[in-house]
Amino acid sequence: MSLSSSSYMLLRSKRWYFRVRVPREHLSLVGRRELVRSLGTGDVLLARCVSSAILLKLPELWAKMAATKHDLDSLISSWFEEELDTQFRSLTSGTFGRSSSAASPKTPEAHGESQALIAAHAQSRLEQLSEEFRNGSFDAMRPVARKIAAGLTPPLPENSQAFHVLLKTLMEAQGEVEEARLRWAEGDVAYRPSLVSHTPATMVAPVTVAAPVPVSPPTGGRTLGDAVQLYLDLQRGAGAKPRSVSQKAAELSILLDAFGQDKPTADITKKDAGKVMEALRFLPPRWREKPALKGLAFLEASEEARRLGLKALNPRTVNGHAQTFRGLCGQEVDAGHLTSNPFDRLEVAVRAAGESDRAFDQTEMSQMFSKPLFTGAQSHSRPHTAGNFLIADWRFWAPLIALLSGARVSEIAQLAPEDVCQREGVWCFAFREGEGRTVKTAASVRHTPIHDELIRLGILKLAEEQQKLKRARLLPEIPAPVGGDSGKQLSKWMSEKFLPHLKLRKRPGLGFHSFRHSMMTELRSAGVDQDTGDVIQGRSSSKVGASYGHFPKTALKASLDRMKVPEEIAKIPPRY
């Protein structure tokens, strides 16, 4: 027995929607259990007419999904296989980083160097693609997407949502290519990735139905979509950093997912807010990337994650989301669209972490600095296997600079060769603002003495060499900044690559920032006062007297020399 059009209608915020459950055989294609489309009216009779027109077109919609998916998958697969073949030829010929006219390397050493360069480049590209994917930035794949879109009948318009999803799909595929390059360069030449297509429903050309008669939006005040856009515009106007605005946009996308763009902010209740916060507590990090949650809406994803027992967001992250939600609703309270803030006092309990929780202890630091990355590795691409190859890139220098100077990760990533300089007869790191560099606070602008161990290892020679090469950065190989955050990729490498290899990531609170906490712990243990420690690390002090007088560089150097350094650092071979 067929259902009437009314069976597919849903009234939400005085506006009618068409809702249909996706047939089981199309679930893997669509990526969600149901499809919802606004009927553009609050009039029930007009809504029934439009709903009936869509209902008659449903068989055609399911048929078009299957046909378009086949064509699109074929074009994507052809590009994917061609890209893999091109990259594999580059590896085997040893031409990476050489001109097309250059001869292939004729010695094993030259070929090994080429493979090491490929491995490093693939790792950097893989991390950059992953970060861009999480931030919703897929423009790197636009040239490929244009070529594929032009091969469809009819061609896919570049300004369509379908084209945007194609960009996303291609970036996932490019990630597979970079993973293959990395594994090939590390010796696994038999590896061949397979492209599993999950073409979203939005790729499919929409079924055309007569446009509904336009009606005025509900008069219940500002919609959530408009409120979010205004909030983000105000953040930008107030000078918020792009990274901060992007993060808030990602957090607010959860509200848009949960309530819909058209929900008047006046209709958001305390019960609605509580439902969102409860769901957030079970949501895993990067939930949109989890295979088990792919294609699910926010509330559905939270429910499924809870059922599967997936690791949930850190409570501090949940409270960070709540703070953004309160900011948005506070804006609506001030504008008179809400009478009270529904997210007030909605937070989850957080265990306070002490300095010792976030710092490496002496045993952990000894374990870290006795590894092949510092003492001698097998090759550039095998930093965890012991050998005679001395790695001297950012992976070597950044952790040592962090521990022995107390600098923030972004400060290290932004260092220029000329920032290694002398002040008052003492070699220092100059942490500055301007010329594309940013600082956290006014106190962050400083000259921090360079520890003797860094000088022994060759930091002065490194700076001299980079200046001769006219490099903009002291550590130029650090992956490119993401969303305005210079140290993002460096932190990610530490948390997701290096610490897990050392089996230290299991202790909560550890990350690149732990070097900064470790240094402060060791300075205190050596009897260095808090004011001196704050000046060395570029911390703001709340004491009135902190702004008076001057800390001589010789005094800061003497305090730095009192700090206990792991014995293993003294055993690290110099790089210059």
Side-chain angles (χ1 to χ4, degrees), residues 388-438:
N388 297 321
F389 184 84
L390 295 181
I391 292 174
D393 61 14
W394 58 274
R395 296 172 294 177
F396 172 82
W397 288 108
L400 288 165
I401 294 174
L403 176 64
L404 299 176
S405 73
R408 299 175 178 90
V409 61
S410 59
E411 293 172 341
I412 295 172
Q414 295 179 102
L415 277 172
E418 58 269 24
D419 291 333
V420 176
C421 56
Q422 281 191 309
R423 286 293 183 276
E424 301 173 21
V426 176
W427 282 103
C428 296
F429 288 120
F431 298 109
R432 302 181 286 131
E433 191 174 21
E435 300 177 358
R437 280 171 274 197
T438 59

Side-chain angles (χ1 to χ4, degrees), residues 489-522:
Q489 297 284 35
L490 195 50
S491 293
K492 185 171 179 287
W493 168 78
M494 176 63 64
S495 299
E496 298 183 9
K497 300 287 185 182
F498 192 53
L499 291 185
H501 176 76
L502 299 177
K503 297 182 171 55
L504 293 180
R505 188 57 179 156
K506 294 180 180 178
R507 184 154 71 82
L510 292 185
F512 202 95
H513 62 280
S514 297
F515 291 115
R516 190 169 162 84
H517 290 284
S518 300
M519 183 195 197
M520 201 66 201
T521 298
E522 296 305 325

Side-chain angles (χ1 to χ4, degrees), residues 362 397 399-407 420-421 426-431 447-461 519 522-523 526 528 536 553 556-567 569-570:
Q362 283 288 333
W397 288 108
L400 288 165
I401 294 174
L403 176 64
L404 299 176
S405 73
V420 176
C421 56
V426 176
W427 282 103
C428 296
F429 288 120
F431 298 109
H447 285 83
T448 297
I450 298 176
H451 197 281
D452 287 342
E453 279 298 325
L454 287 174
I455 294 177
R456 179 187 70 82
L457 290 170
I459 193 73
L460 303 184
K461 294 285 188 181
M519 183 195 197
E522 296 305 325
L523 287 174
V528 177
I536 290 174
K553 298 297 180 286
L556 294 178
K557 180 68 166 59
S559 296
L560 200 60
D561 290 341
R562 289 163 60 184
M563 181 180 73
K564 182 180 179 182
V565 175
E567 295 178 0
I569 290 182

